[in-house]
Amino acid sequence: MEGSTAATDRKGVFVLSALAALVGGLCCLTPVVLVLLGLASISAAASLGNVLYGDYHWQFRLVALAFLALALVLYFRRQGICTLDQARRERNRILNTSLLVLIFAVGMYIFWTYIAVHWFGVWAGLPWRQYDESWAVPASAGVLAAAVLLYLIQLRRSRKAREAREATRAAS
């Protein structure tokens, strides 16, 4: 049972982080999709992108954070943590998983929005080459490296805790 919980936690971390990054980057992805589907001209999509990113980028980020919080609540409820008492007992797991998901989401958001979507938009013909996004590669690499490091530390701790519980059961 505990091994399946750890596997589900690992899968949940990546899925929740990727979805939050996708939602946060919709301000930049929408114009690209409209151009590629032929629903907007390049100039209309560029104007829409300027409005969505220029005027509303914080709203997209806040919606992504709200989505992430809601997704984490639903995720932990499906894991059987439904009451405050259960949440207190699983406090460390909830905090560690939530922090890890947030860090992964930030790294994926930077990579997705400022690297992947930016260059995809340039490829689609949007006038985004003028924006210097060179900072995004080291920033996303640093944040994602920190997230992977925290993930490996958390994985090691959970394995040690599981081994200690098994040793305690075997001794009794």
Side-chain angles (χ1 to χ4, degrees):
M1 174 77 180
E2 292 176 25
S4 67
T5 301
T8 305
D9 276 354
R10 281 180 253 154
K11 181 181 173 186
V13 163
F14 298 118
V15 170
L16 293 175
S17 299
L19 289 174
L22 178 70
V23 170
L26 283 176
C27 60
C28 302
L29 180 64
T30 304
V32 175
V33 170
L34 290 175
V35 167
L36 291 177
L37 293 176
L39 298 175
S41 67
I42 291 177
S43 61
S47 177
L48 178 64
N50 289 339
V51 169
L52 290 179
Y53 184 74
D55 297 337
Y56 298 106
H57 66 277
W58 278 108
Q59 286 84 346
F60 280 93
R61 292 172 185 164
L62 291 174
V63 167
L65 283 175
F67 170 79
L68 186 61
L70 177 64
L72 281 167
V73 168
L74 294 174
Y75 171 76
F76 285 119
R77 289 214 172 180
R78 287 189 181 148
Q79 296 292 312
I81 302 173
C82 299
T83 65
L84 288 177
D85 189 45
Q86 291 169 329
R88 282 187 197 107
R89 276 187 261 130
E90 297 284 339
R91 178 181 60 238
N92 287 340
R93 179 174 159 221
I94 291 170
L95 289 174
N96 289 340
T97 303
S98 299
L99 181 64
L100 191 58
V101 166
L102 180 63
I103 294 171
F104 264 119
V106 168
M108 287 183 195
Y109 170 79
I110 292 170
F111 177 81
W112 171 248
T113 303
Y114 295 103
I115 299 171
V117 174
H118 173 79
W119 286 109
F120 197 55
V122 168
W123 174 79
L126 292 168
W128 290 350
R129 192 175 298 274
Q130 65 187 349
Y131 301 112
D132 180 27
E133 304 295 0
S134 61
W135 63 270
V137 173
S140 66
V143 173
L144 289 173
V148 167
L149 183 64
L150 288 172
Y151 175 76
L152 293 174
I153 290 170
Q154 183 179 353
L155 183 64
R156 184 174 177 200
R157 283 184 179 174
S158 67
R159 284 184 182 162
K160 282 186 177 182
R162 184 174 57 243
E163 289 170 1
R165 283 191 299 269
E166 290 172 0
T168 304
R169 286 186 194 137
S172 56

